[in-house]
mmCIF file of all heavy atoms in Angstrom:
data_model
loop_
_atom_site.group_PDB
_atom_site.id
_atom_site.type_symbol
_atom_site.label_atom_id
_atom_site.label_comp_id
_atom_site.label_asym_id
_atom_site.label_seq_id
_atom_site.Cartn_x
_atom_site.Cartn_y
_atom_site.Cartn_z
ATOM 1 N N CYS Y 1 60.214 203.249 31.032
ATOM 2 C CA CYS Y 1 59.066 202.356 31.082
ATOM 3 C C CYS Y 1 57.948 202.988 30.266
ATOM 4 O O CYS Y 1 57.656 204.212 30.270
ATOM 5 C CB CYS Y 1 58.618 202.259 32.571
ATOM 6 S SG CYS Y 1 59.807 201.355 33.672
ATOM 7 N N ASP Y 2 57.156 202.134 29.566
ATOM 8 C CA ASP Y 2 56.183 202.551 28.626
ATOM 9 C C ASP Y 2 55.085 203.253 29.337
ATOM 10 O O ASP Y 2 54.393 204.144 28.790
ATOM 11 C CB ASP Y 2 55.638 201.365 27.824
ATOM 12 C CG ASP Y 2 56.737 200.835 26.892
ATOM 13 O OD1 ASP Y 2 57.662 201.565 26.480
ATOM 14 O OD2 ASP Y 2 56.626 199.665 26.488
ATOM 15 N N ASN Y 3 54.686 202.755 30.502
ATOM 16 C CA ASN Y 3 53.499 203.174 31.233
ATOM 17 C C ASN Y 3 53.906 203.664 32.669
ATOM 18 O O ASN Y 3 54.525 202.900 33.372
ATOM 19 C CB ASN Y 3 52.489 202.009 31.319
ATOM 20 C CG ASN Y 3 51.253 202.381 31.977
ATOM 21 O OD1 ASN Y 3 51.144 202.680 33.222
ATOM 22 N ND2 ASN Y 3 50.165 202.438 31.245
ATOM 23 N N SER Y 4 53.598 204.876 32.971
ATOM 24 C CA SER Y 4 54.073 205.421 34.223
ATOM 25 C C SER Y 4 53.412 204.753 35.419
ATOM 26 O O SER Y 4 54.037 204.668 36.528
ATOM 27 C CB SER Y 4 53.803 206.985 34.290
ATOM 28 O OG SER Y 4 52.373 207.261 34.215
ATOM 29 N N TYR Y 5 52.213 204.272 35.275
ATOM 30 C CA TYR Y 5 51.576 203.480 36.378
ATOM 31 C C TYR Y 5 52.336 202.173 36.594
ATOM 32 O O TYR Y 5 52.722 201.855 37.713
ATOM 33 C CB TYR Y 5 50.090 203.193 35.966
ATOM 34 C CG TYR Y 5 49.160 202.911 37.150
ATOM 35 C CD1 TYR Y 5 48.051 203.681 37.413
ATOM 36 C CD2 TYR Y 5 49.480 201.827 38.007
ATOM 37 C CE1 TYR Y 5 47.239 203.354 38.482
ATOM 38 C CE2 TYR Y 5 48.665 201.530 39.091
ATOM 39 C CZ TYR Y 5 47.541 202.310 39.325
ATOM 40 O OH TYR Y 5 46.703 202.040 40.371
ATOM 41 N N ALA Y 6 52.618 201.424 35.507
ATOM 42 C CA ALA Y 6 53.320 200.201 35.670
ATOM 43 C C ALA Y 6 54.711 200.379 36.145
ATOM 44 O O ALA Y 6 55.256 199.549 36.849
ATOM 45 C CB ALA Y 6 53.330 199.449 34.267
ATOM 46 N N ALA Y 7 55.292 201.573 35.869
ATOM 47 C CA ALA Y 7 56.630 201.845 36.265
ATOM 48 C C ALA Y 7 56.880 201.717 37.758
ATOM 49 O O ALA Y 7 57.929 201.271 38.277
ATOM 50 C CB ALA Y 7 57.069 203.214 35.769
ATOM 51 N N VAL Y 8 55.837 202.156 38.582
ATOM 52 C CA VAL Y 8 55.971 202.111 39.985
ATOM 53 C C VAL Y 8 55.223 200.996 40.636
ATOM 54 O O VAL Y 8 55.369 200.700 41.832
ATOM 55 C CB VAL Y 8 55.540 203.423 40.626
ATOM 56 C CG1 VAL Y 8 56.340 204.647 40.098
ATOM 57 C CG2 VAL Y 8 54.019 203.724 40.359
ATOM 58 N N ALA Y 9 54.292 200.288 39.897
ATOM 59 C CA ALA Y 9 53.490 199.275 40.453
ATOM 60 C C ALA Y 9 53.861 197.843 40.073
ATOM 61 O O ALA Y 9 53.553 196.894 40.718
ATOM 62 C CB ALA Y 9 52.061 199.437 39.972
ATOM 63 N N ASP Y 10 54.691 197.741 39.034
ATOM 64 C CA ASP Y 10 55.004 196.401 38.423
ATOM 65 C C ASP Y 10 55.939 195.654 39.310
ATOM 66 O O ASP Y 10 57.020 196.230 39.790
ATOM 67 C CB ASP Y 10 55.596 196.625 37.017
ATOM 68 C CG ASP Y 10 55.835 195.318 36.340
ATOM 69 O OD1 ASP Y 10 55.246 194.317 36.697
ATOM 70 O OD2 ASP Y 10 56.588 195.294 35.356
ATOM 71 N N SER Y 11 55.719 194.356 39.565
ATOM 72 C CA SER Y 11 56.727 193.495 40.217
ATOM 73 C C SER Y 11 57.161 192.365 39.317
ATOM 74 O O SER Y 11 57.864 191.532 39.765
ATOM 75 C CB SER Y 11 56.131 192.931 41.544
ATOM 76 O OG SER Y 11 55.039 192.082 41.195
ATOM 77 N N ASP Y 12 56.743 192.438 38.090
ATOM 78 C CA ASP Y 12 57.043 191.353 37.152
ATOM 79 C C ASP Y 12 58.510 191.136 36.998
ATOM 80 O O ASP Y 12 59.011 189.981 36.877
ATOM 81 C CB ASP Y 12 56.364 191.652 35.786
ATOM 82 C CG ASP Y 12 56.556 190.543 34.761
ATOM 83 O OD1 ASP Y 12 56.360 189.329 35.199
ATOM 84 O OD2 ASP Y 12 56.971 190.790 33.620
ATOM 85 N N TRP Y 13 59.326 192.234 36.906
ATOM 86 C CA TRP Y 13 60.727 192.082 36.700
ATOM 87 C C TRP Y 13 61.409 191.324 37.921
ATOM 88 O O TRP Y 13 62.375 190.545 37.669
ATOM 89 C CB TRP Y 13 61.372 193.441 36.532
ATOM 90 C CG TRP Y 13 61.359 194.357 37.689
ATOM 91 C CD1 TRP Y 13 60.250 195.223 38.019
ATOM 92 C CD2 TRP Y 13 62.289 194.522 38.762
ATOM 93 N NE1 TRP Y 13 60.499 195.904 39.199
ATOM 94 C CE2 TRP Y 13 61.775 195.536 39.658
ATOM 95 C CE3 TRP Y 13 63.555 193.961 38.947
ATOM 96 C CZ2 TRP Y 13 62.461 195.901 40.776
ATOM 97 C CZ3 TRP Y 13 64.225 194.366 40.106
ATOM 98 C CH2 TRP Y 13 63.692 195.327 41.029
ATOM 99 N N GLN Y 14 60.891 191.556 39.127
ATOM 100 C CA GLN Y 14 61.447 190.844 40.231
ATOM 101 C C GLN Y 14 61.068 189.327 40.217
ATOM 102 O O GLN Y 14 61.836 188.404 40.506
ATOM 103 C CB GLN Y 14 61.011 191.449 41.570
ATOM 104 C CG GLN Y 14 61.581 192.848 41.803
ATOM 105 C CD GLN Y 14 61.029 193.478 43.087
ATOM 106 O OE1 GLN Y 14 61.789 193.775 43.962
ATOM 107 N NE2 GLN Y 14 59.763 193.703 43.127
ATOM 108 N N LEU Y 15 59.819 189.144 39.811
ATOM 109 C CA LEU Y 15 59.380 187.718 39.750
ATOM 110 C C LEU Y 15 60.061 186.935 38.660
ATOM 111 O O LEU Y 15 60.323 185.767 38.838
ATOM 112 C CB LEU Y 15 57.865 187.695 39.463
ATOM 113 C CG LEU Y 15 56.906 188.185 40.683
ATOM 114 C CD1 LEU Y 15 55.461 188.166 40.252
ATOM 115 C CD2 LEU Y 15 57.128 187.285 41.906
ATOM 116 N N GLU Y 16 60.357 187.604 37.598
ATOM 117 C CA GLU Y 16 61.111 186.926 36.544
ATOM 118 C C GLU Y 16 62.477 186.542 36.975
ATOM 119 O O GLU Y 16 62.990 185.420 36.626
ATOM 120 C CB GLU Y 16 61.106 187.762 35.233
ATOM 121 C CG GLU Y 16 61.444 186.956 34.015
ATOM 122 C CD GLU Y 16 60.850 187.494 32.746
ATOM 123 O OE1 GLU Y 16 59.767 188.210 32.775
ATOM 124 O OE2 GLU Y 16 61.389 187.266 31.692
ATOM 125 N N ILE Y 17 63.108 187.406 37.727
ATOM 126 C CA ILE Y 17 64.440 187.055 38.251
ATOM 127 C C ILE Y 17 64.324 185.882 39.136
ATOM 128 O O ILE Y 17 65.083 184.962 39.161
ATOM 129 C CB ILE Y 17 65.025 188.292 38.993
ATOM 130 C CG1 ILE Y 17 65.466 189.391 38.032
ATOM 131 C CG2 ILE Y 17 66.228 187.864 39.879
ATOM 132 C CD1 ILE Y 17 65.874 190.730 38.718
ATOM 133 N N ALA Y 18 63.270 185.872 39.991
ATOM 134 C CA ALA Y 18 63.060 184.755 40.962
ATOM 135 C C ALA Y 18 62.785 183.489 40.178
ATOM 136 O O ALA Y 18 63.304 182.439 40.596
ATOM 137 C CB ALA Y 18 61.885 185.072 41.858
ATOM 138 N N HIS Y 19 62.093 183.567 39.122
ATOM 139 C CA HIS Y 19 61.813 182.322 38.323
ATOM 140 C C HIS Y 19 63.156 181.743 37.733
ATOM 141 O O HIS Y 19 63.296 180.535 37.729
ATOM 142 C CB HIS Y 19 60.808 182.553 37.244
ATOM 143 C CG HIS Y 19 59.421 182.902 37.750
ATOM 144 N ND1 HIS Y 19 58.914 182.478 38.932
ATOM 145 C CD2 HIS Y 19 58.414 183.761 37.238
ATOM 146 C CE1 HIS Y 19 57.677 182.970 39.126
ATOM 147 N NE2 HIS Y 19 57.397 183.724 38.125
ATOM 148 N N HIS Y 20 63.926 182.667 37.215
ATOM 149 C CA HIS Y 20 65.195 182.203 36.674
ATOM 150 C C HIS Y 20 66.134 181.585 37.789
ATOM 151 O O HIS Y 20 66.754 180.556 37.586
ATOM 152 C CB HIS Y 20 65.914 183.311 36.002
ATOM 153 C CG HIS Y 20 65.254 183.878 34.808
ATOM 154 N ND1 HIS Y 20 64.577 183.084 33.940
ATOM 155 C CD2 HIS Y 20 65.153 185.136 34.274
ATOM 156 C CE1 HIS Y 20 64.048 183.826 32.927
ATOM 157 N NE2 HIS Y 20 64.353 185.065 33.187
ATOM 158 N N ALA Y 21 66.145 182.263 38.918
ATOM 159 C CA ALA Y 21 66.976 181.747 40.073
ATOM 160 C C ALA Y 21 66.397 180.438 40.540
ATOM 161 O O ALA Y 21 67.159 179.493 40.869
ATOM 162 C CB ALA Y 21 66.940 182.739 41.158
ATOM 163 N N GLU Y 22 65.141 180.276 40.522
ATOM 164 C CA GLU Y 22 64.506 178.988 40.882
ATOM 165 C C GLU Y 22 64.892 177.871 39.952
ATOM 166 O O GLU Y 22 65.285 176.803 40.393
ATOM 167 C CB GLU Y 22 62.964 179.192 40.916
ATOM 168 C CG GLU Y 22 62.290 177.980 41.488
ATOM 169 C CD GLU Y 22 60.725 178.240 41.575
ATOM 170 O OE1 GLU Y 22 60.179 178.778 40.592
ATOM 171 O OE2 GLU Y 22 60.167 177.972 42.622
ATOM 172 N N SER Y 23 64.899 178.142 38.624
ATOM 173 C CA SER Y 23 65.353 177.107 37.671
ATOM 174 C C SER Y 23 66.802 176.770 37.897
ATOM 175 O O SER Y 23 67.143 175.605 37.846
ATOM 176 C CB SER Y 23 65.142 177.670 36.187
ATOM 177 O OG SER Y 23 63.775 177.747 35.905
ATOM 178 N N MET Y 24 67.608 177.782 38.154
ATOM 179 C CA MET Y 24 69.017 177.604 38.349
ATOM 180 C C MET Y 24 69.240 176.661 39.574
ATOM 181 O O MET Y 24 70.012 175.734 39.565
ATOM 182 C CB MET Y 24 69.714 178.920 38.533
ATOM 183 C CG MET Y 24 71.211 178.804 38.762
ATOM 184 S SD MET Y 24 71.842 180.216 39.635
ATOM 185 C CE MET Y 24 71.123 180.065 41.247
ATOM 186 N N ALA Y 25 68.496 176.985 40.656
ATOM 187 C CA ALA Y 25 68.590 176.195 41.823
ATOM 188 C C ALA Y 25 68.202 174.762 41.641
ATOM 189 O O ALA Y 25 68.830 173.807 42.170
ATOM 190 C CB ALA Y 25 67.827 176.798 42.973
ATOM 191 N N LEU Y 26 67.114 174.569 40.882
ATOM 192 C CA LEU Y 26 66.677 173.177 40.625
ATOM 193 C C LEU Y 26 67.656 172.401 39.769
ATOM 194 O O LEU Y 26 67.955 171.273 40.076
ATOM 195 C CB LEU Y 26 65.284 173.227 39.945
ATOM 196 C CG LEU Y 26 64.131 173.795 40.858
ATOM 197 C CD1 LEU Y 26 62.876 173.941 39.985
ATOM 198 C CD2 LEU Y 26 63.880 172.904 42.036
ATOM 199 N N HIS Y 27 68.165 173.025 38.724
ATOM 200 C CA HIS Y 27 69.124 172.355 37.847
ATOM 201 C C HIS Y 27 70.410 172.024 38.710
ATOM 202 O O HIS Y 27 70.961 170.967 38.631
ATOM 203 C CB HIS Y 27 69.591 173.230 36.711
ATOM 204 C CG HIS Y 27 68.443 173.587 35.728
ATOM 205 N ND1 HIS Y 27 67.344 172.754 35.597
ATOM 206 C CD2 HIS Y 27 68.248 174.612 34.877
ATOM 207 C CE1 HIS Y 27 66.547 173.271 34.631
ATOM 208 N NE2 HIS Y 27 67.072 174.361 34.205
ATOM 209 N N GLY Y 28 70.828 173.063 39.461
ATOM 210 C CA GLY Y 28 72.067 172.903 40.269
ATOM 211 C C GLY Y 28 71.930 171.837 41.310
ATOM 212 O O GLY Y 28 72.878 171.068 41.523
ATOM 213 N N SER Y 29 70.823 171.749 41.999
ATOM 214 C CA SER Y 29 70.598 170.808 43.037
ATOM 215 C C SER Y 29 70.552 169.346 42.503
ATOM 216 O O SER Y 29 71.088 168.403 43.178
ATOM 217 C CB SER Y 29 69.326 171.087 43.815
ATOM 218 O OG SER Y 29 68.165 170.874 43.006
ATOM 219 N N ARG Y 30 70.088 169.155 41.283
ATOM 220 C CA ARG Y 30 70.071 167.858 40.706
ATOM 221 C C ARG Y 30 71.499 167.373 40.397
ATOM 222 O O ARG Y 30 71.886 166.206 40.486
ATOM 223 C CB ARG Y 30 69.205 167.818 39.399
ATOM 224 C CG ARG Y 30 67.724 168.144 39.708
ATOM 225 C CD ARG Y 30 66.891 168.069 38.425
ATOM 226 N NE ARG Y 30 66.709 166.741 38.006
ATOM 227 C CZ ARG Y 30 66.070 166.381 36.836
ATOM 228 N NH1 ARG Y 30 65.585 167.390 36.029
ATOM 229 N NH2 ARG Y 30 65.913 165.191 36.435
ATOM 230 N N LEU Y 31 72.308 168.355 39.880
ATOM 231 C CA LEU Y 31 73.680 168.082 39.571
ATOM 232 C C LEU Y 31 74.455 167.704 40.865
ATOM 233 O O LEU Y 31 75.246 166.707 40.957
ATOM 234 C CB LEU Y 31 74.339 169.273 38.918
ATOM 235 C CG LEU Y 31 75.772 169.133 38.388
ATOM 236 C CD1 LEU Y 31 75.952 167.890 37.538
ATOM 237 C CD2 LEU Y 31 76.162 170.342 37.629
ATOM 238 N N VAL Y 32 74.209 168.443 41.960
ATOM 239 C CA VAL Y 32 74.799 168.225 43.232
ATOM 240 C C VAL Y 32 74.392 166.819 43.759
ATOM 241 O O VAL Y 32 75.171 166.053 44.350
ATOM 242 C CB VAL Y 32 74.439 169.310 44.239
ATOM 243 C CG1 VAL Y 32 74.852 168.909 45.648
ATOM 244 C CG2 VAL Y 32 75.124 170.607 43.841
ATOM 245 N N CYS Y 33 73.108 166.499 43.631
ATOM 246 C CA CYS Y 33 72.599 165.182 44.044
ATOM 247 C C CYS Y 33 73.376 164.068 43.358
ATOM 248 O O CYS Y 33 73.783 163.141 44.054
ATOM 249 C CB CYS Y 33 71.139 165.049 43.685
ATOM 250 S SG CYS Y 33 70.378 163.527 44.200
ATOM 251 N N ASP Y 34 73.627 164.177 42.069
ATOM 252 C CA ASP Y 34 74.433 163.153 41.413
ATOM 253 C C ASP Y 34 75.902 163.099 41.907
ATOM 254 O O ASP Y 34 76.474 162.049 42.100
ATOM 255 C CB ASP Y 34 74.451 163.367 39.898
ATOM 256 C CG ASP Y 34 73.156 162.912 39.253
ATOM 257 O OD1 ASP Y 34 72.315 162.201 39.940
ATOM 258 O OD2 ASP Y 34 72.885 163.260 38.051
ATOM 259 N N LEU Y 35 76.462 164.287 42.050
ATOM 260 C CA LEU Y 35 77.906 164.333 42.586
ATOM 261 C C LEU Y 35 77.975 163.697 43.947
ATOM 262 O O LEU Y 35 78.967 162.918 44.162
ATOM 263 C CB LEU Y 35 78.381 165.756 42.535
ATOM 264 C CG LEU Y 35 78.566 166.423 41.237
ATOM 265 C CD1 LEU Y 35 78.918 167.904 41.457
ATOM 266 C CD2 LEU Y 35 79.677 165.683 40.353
ATOM 267 N N LEU Y 36 77.008 163.909 44.844
ATOM 268 C CA LEU Y 36 77.026 163.310 46.141
ATOM 269 C C LEU Y 36 76.877 161.854 46.013
ATOM 270 O O LEU Y 36 77.524 161.040 46.736
ATOM 271 C CB LEU Y 36 75.996 163.926 47.049
ATOM 272 C CG LEU Y 36 76.303 165.308 47.606
ATOM 273 C CD1 LEU Y 36 75.076 165.969 48.244
ATOM 274 C CD2 LEU Y 36 77.433 165.206 48.641
ATOM 275 N N ARG Y 37 75.990 161.377 45.142
ATOM 276 C CA ARG Y 37 75.817 159.924 44.959
ATOM 277 C C ARG Y 37 77.068 159.238 44.431
ATOM 278 O O ARG Y 37 77.452 158.146 44.810
ATOM 279 C CB ARG Y 37 74.600 159.645 44.012
ATOM 280 C CG ARG Y 37 74.323 158.161 43.783
ATOM 281 C CD ARG Y 37 72.960 157.970 43.108
ATOM 282 N NE ARG Y 37 72.926 158.667 41.856
ATOM 283 C CZ ARG Y 37 73.432 158.184 40.760
ATOM 284 N NH1 ARG Y 37 74.024 156.968 40.703
ATOM 285 N NH2 ARG Y 37 73.313 158.798 39.572
#
């Protein structure tokens, strides 16, 4: 990590994973909605 403070304080990496998972869930749920219809 470039900055030792950010190395232990940063939560951005977790939030970015969450944002990607959120997009995946939204895309997937729309596909499921169509399949159920």
Side-chain angles (χ1 to χ4, degrees):
C1 292
D2 293 337
N3 183 289
S4 63
Y5 201 122
V8 301
D10 185 18
S11 65
D12 184 48
W13 63 274
Q14 292 178 118
L15 290 177
E16 196 150 334
I17 289 172
H19 295 331
H20 294 324
E22 187 174 48
S23 293
M24 180 203 69
L26 294 174
H27 297 334
S29 66
R30 296 180 75 184
L31 185 51
V32 169
C33 182
D34 281 348
L35 291 174
L36 282 168
R37 181 169 58 81

